[in-house]
Amino acid sequence: MKVAGIDEAGKGPVIGPMCIGGVLTDEENLHSIKNLGVADSKKLSPKRREDLFLKIEKYASKTFVLEISPSQIDELRKIMTMNEITVMGFSKVLENLQPDTAYVDAADVKAERFGKKLTESYTVNVRKPLTVVSEHKADDKYPIVSAASIVAKVTRDRRIEELKKSIGKDFGSGYPSDRKTKDFLDNWVKENGSLPDFVRHSWKTAEQCLENK
């Protein structure tokens, strides 16, 4: 039986993509993933995440990351909520992996509702049965979801570092609560009169920067 774990990194930031990571393995190999020492990516150092990322790719049957850009998020938010965008993204990762069972970190206050919507979205596009286990803090409970969390987080971190190098500026984490990120956006708008394409224009933080201009 094929088992997958799915998790996202970057749902809330104002800068950069949302990355949805998926890890697929045979059921009998789940212990190998666990023995790597995987954990919720937020509890690991960047170096530890990078080390585990390489090991996960080696032991998993397949890994896949879907990146949803800021401009794609802005367009989609005109017709759906962020939770619905996340369901759509998780479904696309599942379509790529096509497991028999999927463990997912619920991106909805109601974990059961998230799992139901994900199952419905998947079965519309892939006409084969799928068991979805949707829980909050699944990246803490299930090593296969921890692995997906690491794959998603490492991919997003790499994109953020690439972005900082390309513009020659350090904007911090990219989250609205980060003072460094907020100051960067304020200064960018003052200098350029508009927001860059790597920012989610539909976020309140971004809109406020334009209003303050």
Side-chain angles (χ1 to χ4, degrees):
M1 184 175 78
K2 295 285 187 181
V3 179
I6 314 286
D7 199 7
E8 56 78 22
K11 183 182 178 186
V14 64
I15 296 178
M18 175 167 70
C19 295
I20 301 172
V23 176
L24 182 73
T25 190
D26 292 313
E27 187 177 27
E28 57 266 28
N29 290 334
L30 285 172
H31 67 280
S32 297
I33 299 292
K34 181 180 180 179
N35 289 341
L36 293 176
V38 295
D40 174 7
S41 64
K42 294 184 288 295
K43 297 180 178 179
L44 301 170
S45 69
K47 185 180 185 307
R48 180 65 176 147
R49 286 196 297 262
E50 284 282 354
D51 289 344
L52 285 170
F53 180 90
L54 297 174
K55 291 177 180 177
I56 291 164
E57 287 194 317
K58 180 180 177 182
Y59 283 93
S61 304
K62 186 177 184 181
T63 62
F64 179 74
V65 179
L66 176 71
E67 296 184 40
I68 306 178
S69 71
S71 60
Q72 288 173 322
I73 289 171
D74 288 337
E75 283 301 308
L76 288 168
R77 270 168 57 85
K78 293 175 182 177
I79 57 172
M80 62 177 73
T81 66
M82 198 61 200
N83 278 353
E84 289 170 335
I85 293 171
T86 308
V87 167
M88 182 190 72
F90 274 46
S91 180
K92 287 186 180 298
V93 173
L94 285 174
E95 286 172 36
N96 184 278
L97 300 178
Q98 298 202 11
D100 299 300
T101 300
Y103 292 85
V104 304
D105 196 20
D108 188 332
V109 291
K110 294 185 177 180
E112 187 178 337
R113 177 173 63 188
F114 185 80
K116 184 179 178 183
K117 287 183 176 180
L118 180 55
T119 304
E120 289 171 353
S121 176
Y122 177 82
T123 51
V124 164
N125 297 310
V126 181
R127 298 188 180 280
K128 59 180 287 190
L130 172 69
T131 300
V132 174
V133 178
S134 172
E135 294 184 19
H136 296 130
K137 300 188 181 299
D139 49 359
D140 255 343
K141 300 176 186 176
Y142 304 106
I144 192 69
V145 184
S146 301
S149 171
I150 291 165
V151 168
K153 178 65 174 165
V154 168
T155 302
R156 176 174 156 83
D157 285 351
R158 288 176 178 177
R159 297 296 173 268
I160 292 300
E161 288 309 307
E162 290 166 5
L163 188 52
K164 288 177 181 178
K165 287 179 183 177
S166 71
I167 63 173
K169 293 181 185 293
D170 182 2
F171 49 74
S173 66
Y175 280 81
S177 58
D178 189 336
R179 185 74 245 174
K180 202 170 191 178
T181 298
K182 184 75 167 56
D183 289 343
F184 165 80
L185 292 174
D186 284 335
N187 291 330
W188 184 286
V189 170
K190 284 176 185 175
E191 292 172 12
N192 301 281
S194 62
L195 291 162
D197 60 4
F198 52 80
V199 166
R200 302 178 193 181
H201 294 206
S202 59
W203 254 232
K204 281 186 178 179
T205 305
E207 291 173 348
Q208 285 169 356
C209 287
L210 290 175
E211 287 171 8
N212 293 339
K213 182 192 71 169

mmCIF file of all heavy atoms in Angstrom, residues 11 81-88 90-91 104-122 132-136:
data_model
loop_
_atom_site.group_PDB
_atom_site.id
_atom_site.type_symbol
_atom_site.label_atom_id
_atom_site.label_comp_id
_atom_site.label_asym_id
_atom_site.label_seq_id
_atom_site.Cartn_x
_atom_site.Cartn_y
_atom_site.Cartn_z
ATOM 1 N N LYS A 11 1.810 29.550 3.972
ATOM 2 C CA LYS A 11 0.410 29.931 3.740
ATOM 3 C C LYS A 11 0.181 31.391 4.137
ATOM 4 O O LYS A 11 -0.557 32.114 3.492
ATOM 5 C CB LYS A 11 -0.528 29.020 4.542
ATOM 6 C CG LYS A 11 -2.008 29.293 4.311
ATOM 7 C CD LYS A 11 -2.891 28.398 5.168
ATOM 8 C CE LYS A 11 -4.363 28.708 4.957
ATOM 9 N NZ LYS A 11 -5.238 27.941 5.877
ATOM 10 N N THR A 81 -11.412 31.260 -1.069
ATOM 11 C CA THR A 81 -10.690 31.577 0.160
ATOM 12 C C THR A 81 -9.302 30.929 0.146
ATOM 13 O O THR A 81 -9.023 30.049 -0.676
ATOM 14 C CB THR A 81 -11.445 31.043 1.392
ATOM 15 O OG1 THR A 81 -11.443 29.603 1.349
ATOM 16 C CG2 THR A 81 -12.885 31.547 1.424
ATOM 17 N N MET A 82 -8.465 31.353 1.091
ATOM 18 C CA MET A 82 -7.131 30.770 1.187
ATOM 19 C C MET A 82 -7.213 29.292 1.553
ATOM 20 O O MET A 82 -6.411 28.485 1.074
ATOM 21 C CB MET A 82 -6.306 31.534 2.231
ATOM 22 C CG MET A 82 -4.814 31.321 2.111
ATOM 23 S SD MET A 82 -4.155 31.869 0.522
ATOM 24 C CE MET A 82 -2.616 30.951 0.458
ATOM 25 N N ASN A 83 -8.196 28.913 2.371
ATOM 26 C CA ASN A 83 -8.368 27.498 2.704
ATOM 27 C C ASN A 83 -8.723 26.684 1.468
ATOM 28 O O ASN A 83 -8.253 25.558 1.287
ATOM 29 C CB ASN A 83 -9.458 27.323 3.769
ATOM 30 C CG ASN A 83 -8.937 27.567 5.173
ATOM 31 O OD1 ASN A 83 -7.739 27.741 5.382
ATOM 32 N ND2 ASN A 83 -9.838 27.590 6.143
ATOM 33 N N GLU A 84 -9.556 27.252 0.597
ATOM 34 C CA GLU A 84 -9.934 26.557 -0.637
ATOM 35 C C GLU A 84 -8.752 26.433 -1.584
ATOM 36 O O GLU A 84 -8.600 25.418 -2.276
ATOM 37 C CB GLU A 84 -11.100 27.289 -1.309
ATOM 38 C CG GLU A 84 -12.413 27.145 -0.564
ATOM 39 C CD GLU A 84 -13.503 28.064 -1.080
ATOM 40 O OE1 GLU A 84 -13.187 29.124 -1.657
ATOM 41 O OE2 GLU A 84 -14.688 27.735 -0.901
ATOM 42 N N ILE A 85 -7.906 27.460 -1.604
ATOM 43 C CA ILE A 85 -6.683 27.399 -2.417
ATOM 44 C C ILE A 85 -5.781 26.278 -1.898
ATOM 45 O O ILE A 85 -5.189 25.523 -2.675
ATOM 46 C CB ILE A 85 -5.925 28.746 -2.373
ATOM 47 C CG1 ILE A 85 -6.740 29.840 -3.064
ATOM 48 C CG2 ILE A 85 -4.547 28.616 -3.036
ATOM 49 C CD1 ILE A 85 -6.180 31.237 -2.877
ATOM 50 N N THR A 86 -5.716 26.155 -0.571
ATOM 51 C CA THR A 86 -4.883 25.111 0.036
ATOM 52 C C THR A 86 -5.426 23.723 -0.285
ATOM 53 O O THR A 86 -4.658 22.803 -0.594
ATOM 54 C CB THR A 86 -4.800 25.313 1.559
ATOM 55 O OG1 THR A 86 -4.396 26.662 1.843
ATOM 56 C CG2 THR A 86 -3.780 24.364 2.179
ATOM 57 N N VAL A 87 -6.743 23.558 -0.224
ATOM 58 C CA VAL A 87 -7.359 22.279 -0.599
ATOM 59 C C VAL A 87 -6.992 21.928 -2.039
ATOM 60 O O VAL A 87 -6.596 20.802 -2.345
ATOM 61 C CB VAL A 87 -8.898 22.332 -0.443
ATOM 62 C CG1 VAL A 87 -9.546 21.133 -1.139
ATOM 63 C CG2 VAL A 87 -9.290 22.347 1.026
ATOM 64 N N MET A 88 -7.135 22.905 -2.937
ATOM 65 C CA MET A 88 -6.809 22.703 -4.349
ATOM 66 C C MET A 88 -5.347 22.288 -4.519
ATOM 67 O O MET A 88 -5.025 21.367 -5.276
ATOM 68 C CB MET A 88 -7.085 23.976 -5.143
ATOM 69 C CG MET A 88 -6.823 23.870 -6.631
ATOM 70 S SD MET A 88 -6.884 25.492 -7.450
ATOM 71 C CE MET A 88 -5.356 26.227 -6.839
ATOM 72 N N PHE A 90 -3.283 20.929 -2.181
ATOM 73 C CA PHE A 90 -3.072 19.589 -1.616
ATOM 74 C C PHE A 90 -3.567 18.520 -2.595
ATOM 75 O O PHE A 90 -2.931 17.476 -2.773
ATOM 76 C CB PHE A 90 -3.832 19.443 -0.295
ATOM 77 C CG PHE A 90 -3.080 19.926 0.930
ATOM 78 C CD1 PHE A 90 -2.407 21.136 0.926
ATOM 79 C CD2 PHE A 90 -3.070 19.168 2.087
ATOM 80 C CE1 PHE A 90 -1.719 21.588 2.053
ATOM 81 C CE2 PHE A 90 -2.393 19.601 3.220
ATOM 82 C CZ PHE A 90 -1.714 20.808 3.209
ATOM 83 N N SER A 91 -4.717 18.798 -3.219
ATOM 84 C CA SER A 91 -5.295 17.843 -4.168
ATOM 85 C C SER A 91 -4.369 17.616 -5.359
ATOM 86 O O SER A 91 -4.186 16.488 -5.822
ATOM 87 C CB SER A 91 -6.665 18.340 -4.640
ATOM 88 O OG SER A 91 -7.240 17.431 -5.548
ATOM 89 N N VAL A 104 -2.611 14.188 6.194
ATOM 90 C CA VAL A 104 -2.428 15.600 5.867
ATOM 91 C C VAL A 104 -2.562 16.462 7.114
ATOM 92 O O VAL A 104 -3.333 16.159 8.026
ATOM 93 C CB VAL A 104 -3.434 16.068 4.791
ATOM 94 C CG1 VAL A 104 -3.340 15.202 3.546
ATOM 95 C CG2 VAL A 104 -4.867 16.083 5.319
ATOM 96 N N ASP A 105 -1.793 17.551 7.121
ATOM 97 C CA ASP A 105 -1.897 18.538 8.196
ATOM 98 C C ASP A 105 -3.025 19.501 7.825
ATOM 99 O O ASP A 105 -2.899 20.274 6.877
ATOM 100 C CB ASP A 105 -0.566 19.285 8.350
ATOM 101 C CG ASP A 105 -0.478 20.019 9.678
ATOM 102 O OD1 ASP A 105 -1.230 19.671 10.602
ATOM 103 O OD2 ASP A 105 0.340 20.944 9.793
ATOM 104 N N ALA A 106 -4.134 19.424 8.538
ATOM 105 C CA ALA A 106 -5.338 20.180 8.185
ATOM 106 C C ALA A 106 -5.098 21.685 8.215
ATOM 107 O O ALA A 106 -4.639 22.233 9.213
ATOM 108 C CB ALA A 106 -6.477 19.817 9.123
ATOM 109 N N ALA A 107 -5.431 22.351 7.123
ATOM 110 C CA ALA A 107 -5.277 23.805 7.011
ATOM 111 C C ALA A 107 -6.634 24.488 7.155
ATOM 112 O O ALA A 107 -6.981 25.397 6.403
ATOM 113 C CB ALA A 107 -4.640 24.152 5.671
ATOM 114 N N ASP A 108 -7.410 24.020 8.112
ATOM 115 C CA ASP A 108 -8.759 24.529 8.369
ATOM 116 C C ASP A 108 -9.008 24.340 9.861
ATOM 117 O O ASP A 108 -8.500 23.386 10.457
ATOM 118 C CB ASP A 108 -9.778 23.716 7.540
ATOM 119 C CG ASP A 108 -11.189 24.289 7.585
ATOM 120 O OD1 ASP A 108 -11.541 24.932 8.582
ATOM 121 O OD2 ASP A 108 -11.949 24.064 6.626
ATOM 122 N N VAL A 109 -9.778 25.227 10.469
ATOM 123 C CA VAL A 109 -10.059 25.077 11.902
ATOM 124 C C VAL A 109 -10.793 23.764 12.170
ATOM 125 O O VAL A 109 -10.696 23.198 13.255
ATOM 126 C CB VAL A 109 -10.888 26.262 12.455
ATOM 127 C CG1 VAL A 109 -10.056 27.524 12.475
ATOM 128 C CG2 VAL A 109 -12.159 26.488 11.648
ATOM 129 N N LYS A 110 -11.536 23.289 11.179
ATOM 130 C CA LYS A 110 -12.216 22.002 11.286
ATOM 131 C C LYS A 110 -11.476 20.976 10.425
ATOM 132 O O LYS A 110 -11.606 20.964 9.200
ATOM 133 C CB LYS A 110 -13.672 22.115 10.840
ATOM 134 C CG LYS A 110 -14.513 22.994 11.765
ATOM 135 C CD LYS A 110 -15.974 22.995 11.358
ATOM 136 C CE LYS A 110 -16.815 23.816 12.335
ATOM 137 N NZ LYS A 110 -18.249 23.829 11.968
ATOM 138 N N ALA A 111 -10.689 20.153 11.091
ATOM 139 C CA ALA A 111 -9.843 19.184 10.382
ATOM 140 C C ALA A 111 -10.664 18.214 9.543
ATOM 141 O O ALA A 111 -10.278 17.865 8.418
ATOM 142 C CB ALA A 111 -8.975 18.423 11.376
ATOM 143 N N GLU A 112 -11.797 17.791 10.079
ATOM 144 C CA GLU A 112 -12.634 16.832 9.362
ATOM 145 C C GLU A 112 -13.185 17.440 8.074
ATOM 146 O O GLU A 112 -13.231 16.779 7.028
ATOM 147 C CB GLU A 112 -13.802 16.388 10.260
ATOM 148 C CG GLU A 112 -14.643 15.271 9.667
ATOM 149 C CD GLU A 112 -15.764 14.825 10.592
ATOM 150 O OE1 GLU A 112 -15.647 15.046 11.820
ATOM 151 O OE2 GLU A 112 -16.754 14.262 10.089
ATOM 152 N N ARG A 113 -13.570 18.702 8.136
ATOM 153 C CA ARG A 113 -14.087 19.392 6.953
ATOM 154 C C ARG A 113 -13.000 19.506 5.886
ATOM 155 O O ARG A 113 -13.262 19.311 4.696
ATOM 156 C CB ARG A 113 -14.600 20.783 7.336
ATOM 157 C CG ARG A 113 -15.095 21.617 6.162
ATOM 158 C CD ARG A 113 -15.743 22.909 6.645
ATOM 159 N NE ARG A 113 -14.798 23.769 7.349
ATOM 160 C CZ ARG A 113 -15.160 24.880 8.002
ATOM 161 N NH1 ARG A 113 -16.439 25.223 8.077
ATOM 162 N NH2 ARG A 113 -14.255 25.628 8.599
ATOM 163 N N PHE A 114 -11.789 19.808 6.312
ATOM 164 C CA PHE A 114 -10.671 19.906 5.374
ATOM 165 C C PHE A 114 -10.441 18.584 4.668
ATOM 166 O O PHE A 114 -10.265 18.521 3.447
ATOM 167 C CB PHE A 114 -9.395 20.341 6.108
ATOM 168 C CG PHE A 114 -8.215 20.587 5.207
ATOM 169 C CD1 PHE A 114 -8.093 21.773 4.503
ATOM 170 C CD2 PHE A 114 -7.225 19.623 5.062
ATOM 171 C CE1 PHE A 114 -7.004 21.997 3.665
ATOM 172 C CE2 PHE A 114 -6.135 19.839 4.230
ATOM 173 C CZ PHE A 114 -6.028 21.033 3.536
ATOM 174 N N GLY A 115 -10.463 17.493 5.441
ATOM 175 C CA GLY A 115 -10.264 16.159 4.867
ATOM 176 C C GLY A 115 -11.355 15.791 3.885
ATOM 177 O O GLY A 115 -11.088 15.200 2.828
ATOM 178 N N LYS A 116 -12.596 16.152 4.215
ATOM 179 C CA LYS A 116 -13.725 15.842 3.336
ATOM 180 C C LYS A 116 -13.610 16.595 2.014
ATOM 181 O O LYS A 116 -13.798 16.025 0.935
ATOM 182 C CB LYS A 116 -15.035 16.202 4.030
ATOM 183 C CG LYS A 116 -16.282 15.829 3.242
ATOM 184 C CD LYS A 116 -17.547 16.200 4.006
ATOM 185 C CE LYS A 116 -18.794 15.853 3.170
ATOM 186 N NZ LYS A 116 -20.046 16.254 3.854
ATOM 187 N N LYS A 117 -13.283 17.895 2.096
ATOM 188 C CA LYS A 117 -13.149 18.700 0.880
ATOM 189 C C LYS A 117 -11.992 18.202 0.013
ATOM 190 O O LYS A 117 -12.089 18.176 -1.216
ATOM 191 C CB LYS A 117 -12.936 20.176 1.239
ATOM 192 C CG LYS A 117 -14.170 20.876 1.753
ATOM 193 C CD LYS A 117 -13.894 22.344 2.001
ATOM 194 C CE LYS A 117 -15.159 23.082 2.424
ATOM 195 N NZ LYS A 117 -14.906 24.512 2.679
ATOM 196 N N LEU A 118 -10.921 17.802 0.668
ATOM 197 C CA LEU A 118 -9.757 17.295 -0.058
ATOM 198 C C LEU A 118 -10.089 15.991 -0.773
ATOM 199 O O LEU A 118 -9.737 15.807 -1.944
ATOM 200 C CB LEU A 118 -8.591 17.094 0.914
ATOM 201 C CG LEU A 118 -7.280 16.576 0.330
ATOM 202 C CD1 LEU A 118 -6.794 17.456 -0.805
ATOM 203 C CD2 LEU A 118 -6.213 16.488 1.425
ATOM 204 N N THR A 119 -10.790 15.105 -0.089
ATOM 205 C CA THR A 119 -11.189 13.834 -0.692
ATOM 206 C C THR A 119 -12.091 14.066 -1.903
ATOM 207 O O THR A 119 -11.916 13.441 -2.957
ATOM 208 C CB THR A 119 -11.929 12.957 0.336
ATOM 209 O OG1 THR A 119 -11.096 12.765 1.488
ATOM 210 C CG2 THR A 119 -12.276 11.596 -0.253
ATOM 211 N N GLU A 120 -13.045 14.985 -1.756
ATOM 212 C CA GLU A 120 -13.972 15.293 -2.849
ATOM 213 C C GLU A 120 -13.224 15.868 -4.048
ATOM 214 O O GLU A 120 -13.468 15.477 -5.197
ATOM 215 C CB GLU A 120 -15.035 16.285 -2.373
ATOM 216 C CG GLU A 120 -16.031 15.689 -1.396
ATOM 217 C CD GLU A 120 -16.941 16.733 -0.766
ATOM 218 O OE1 GLU A 120 -16.706 17.942 -0.998
ATOM 219 O OE2 GLU A 120 -17.887 16.346 -0.049
ATOM 220 N N SER A 121 -12.309 16.792 -3.789
ATOM 221 C CA SER A 121 -11.542 17.419 -4.869
ATOM 222 C C SER A 121 -10.693 16.392 -5.607
ATOM 223 O O SER A 121 -10.618 16.391 -6.845
ATOM 224 C CB SER A 121 -10.647 18.524 -4.299
ATOM 225 O OG SER A 121 -9.827 19.080 -5.302
ATOM 226 N N TYR A 122 -10.068 15.503 -4.853
ATOM 227 C CA TYR A 122 -9.196 14.486 -5.444
ATOM 228 C C TYR A 122 -9.985 13.494 -6.298
ATOM 229 O O TYR A 122 -9.601 13.189 -7.434
ATOM 230 C CB TYR A 122 -8.446 13.743 -4.334
ATOM 231 C CG TYR A 122 -7.574 12.612 -4.829
ATOM 232 C CD1 TYR A 122 -6.301 12.867 -5.336
ATOM 233 C CD2 TYR A 122 -8.012 11.289 -4.787
ATOM 234 C CE1 TYR A 122 -5.489 11.833 -5.786
ATOM 235 C CE2 TYR A 122 -7.207 10.254 -5.230
ATOM 236 C CZ TYR A 122 -5.952 10.529 -5.727
ATOM 237 O OH TYR A 122 -5.156 9.510 -6.177
ATOM 238 N N VAL A 132 -8.227 9.560 3.409
ATOM 239 C CA VAL A 132 -7.544 10.760 3.889
ATOM 240 C C VAL A 132 -7.670 10.854 5.405
ATOM 241 O O VAL A 132 -8.773 10.816 5.952
ATOM 242 C CB VAL A 132 -8.120 12.034 3.241
ATOM 243 C CG1 VAL A 132 -7.505 13.283 3.869
ATOM 244 C CG2 VAL A 132 -7.868 12.034 1.739
ATOM 245 N N VAL A 133 -6.542 10.972 6.080
ATOM 246 C CA VAL A 133 -6.508 11.217 7.525
ATOM 247 C C VAL A 133 -6.085 12.667 7.706
ATOM 248 O O VAL A 133 -4.929 13.024 7.473
ATOM 249 C CB VAL A 133 -5.525 10.268 8.245
ATOM 250 C CG1 VAL A 133 -5.483 10.570 9.739
ATOM 251 C CG2 VAL A 133 -5.903 8.815 7.995
ATOM 252 N N SER A 134 -7.037 13.519 8.076
ATOM 253 C CA SER A 134 -6.800 14.954 8.204
ATOM 254 C C SER A 134 -6.834 15.354 9.671
ATOM 255 O O SER A 134 -7.873 15.219 10.327
ATOM 256 C CB SER A 134 -7.873 15.720 7.417
ATOM 257 O OG SER A 134 -7.794 17.111 7.649
ATOM 258 N N GLU A 135 -5.715 15.837 10.181
ATOM 259 C CA GLU A 135 -5.635 16.215 11.597
ATOM 260 C C GLU A 135 -4.801 17.472 11.780
ATOM 261 O O GLU A 135 -3.916 17.762 10.968
ATOM 262 C CB GLU A 135 -5.007 15.076 12.420
ATOM 263 C CG GLU A 135 -5.832 13.806 12.479
ATOM 264 C CD GLU A 135 -5.200 12.756 13.385
ATOM 265 O OE1 GLU A 135 -4.346 13.123 14.222
ATOM 266 O OE2 GLU A 135 -5.563 11.576 13.245
ATOM 267 N N HIS A 136 -5.101 18.213 12.835
ATOM 268 C CA HIS A 136 -4.248 19.329 13.222
ATOM 269 C C HIS A 136 -2.971 18.781 13.858
ATOM 270 O O HIS A 136 -3.008 17.734 14.525
ATOM 271 C CB HIS A 136 -4.968 20.256 14.209
ATOM 272 C CG HIS A 136 -6.168 20.922 13.633
ATOM 273 N ND1 HIS A 136 -7.388 20.929 14.235
ATOM 274 C CD2 HIS A 136 -6.330 21.597 12.462
ATOM 275 C CE1 HIS A 136 -8.257 21.591 13.483
ATOM 276 N NE2 HIS A 136 -7.637 21.998 12.396
#
